[in-house]
Amino acid sequence: MEPTKTGFVQWIGGVRGVFLMIAGGLVGILLGVALFTFGYAGGWAYFGNDPATCNQCHAMNEQYDAWAKGSHKNVAGCNDCHSPHDNIIHKYVNKADNGFWHALKFTTGDYPENIKIREMNREITQEACLSCHANLVSDIESTRVGHANRVDCLQCHSNVGHMR
């Protein structure tokens, strides 16, 4: 026979039950809001490669319009230049990292008028340049033996992707 709970033990169980019910309700509300926001914002599109997805954010209109008029439009989209090429896990970890910071900054409005690329993303873009233009760049790199610095594509060609 199971002992019955009485007095203080019954009261604690009741308080704990109410607390768990309130906490469960709050978690449910937060999940519901998160799912609604994800669906409303077209969150599934961020798993693809369509450049129009990046343009969903009004802060990217200038970059998107410049890309649409640029030389890379017919050969490369946003992910081709701004996502890692080494493996799919690295690609989506990078996209999640960027997505988090983009969402936070755009939601809070805490971003500069002229958006600047983070150093980590600059390196990814540099690697993308070297990957796509390997034949051209290998000739240039062969002349740089003994130089401490690698070829920096963006130093001279920063306007190529977005035509500033």
Side-chain angles (χ1 to χ4, degrees):
M1 181 171 177
E2 187 174 308
T4 59
K5 296 176 184 174
T6 59
F8 183 73
V9 174
Q10 187 178 21
W11 181 78
I12 289 294
V15 169
R16 189 173 69 188
V18 169
F19 173 75
L20 289 175
M21 195 167 61
I22 291 171
L26 290 174
V27 169
I29 289 170
L30 287 173
L31 282 174
V33 169
L35 286 173
F36 173 78
T37 303
F38 186 79
Y40 183 76
W44 288 111
Y46 291 95
F47 291 98
N49 289 316
D50 184 356
T53 302
C54 297
N55 198 36
Q56 287 181 344
C57 179
H58 63 88
M60 293 291 179
N61 288 345
E62 184 180 332
Q63 286 78 12
Y64 180 81
D65 291 344
W67 165 82
K69 296 174 188 167
S71 60
H72 281 80
K73 181 186 179 204
N74 295 325
V75 293
C78 305
N79 284 321
D80 294 316
C81 298
H82 296 290
S83 292
H85 290 200
D86 56 351
N87 69 60
I88 195 163
I89 294 171
H90 189 199
K91 175 181 177 178
Y92 282 100
V93 166
N94 179 263
K95 287 179 76 145
D97 178 54
N98 285 327
F100 170 78
W101 288 109
H102 290 172
L104 180 64
K105 290 187 178 284
F106 296 146
T107 300
T108 61
D110 182 29
Y111 60 93
E113 187 171 325
N114 294 322
I115 298 172
K116 295 192 184 267
I117 193 168
R118 292 187 297 165
E119 184 57 32
M120 176 183 73
N121 289 324
R122 190 178 199 287
E123 291 172 16
I124 289 170
T125 300
Q126 170 72 19
E127 290 301 320
C129 295
L130 296 175
S131 175
C132 291
H133 300 286
N135 291 338
L136 177 67
V137 176
S138 65
D139 290 342
I140 296 170
E141 285 186 318
S142 68
T143 65
R144 297 181 56 86
V145 175
H147 283 257
N149 297 330
R150 308 175 43 186
V151 171
D152 184 350
C153 305
L154 300 175
Q155 186 176 22
C156 298
H157 304 284
S158 63
N159 296 341
V160 169
H162 300 294
M163 296 174 46
R164 288 185 208 157

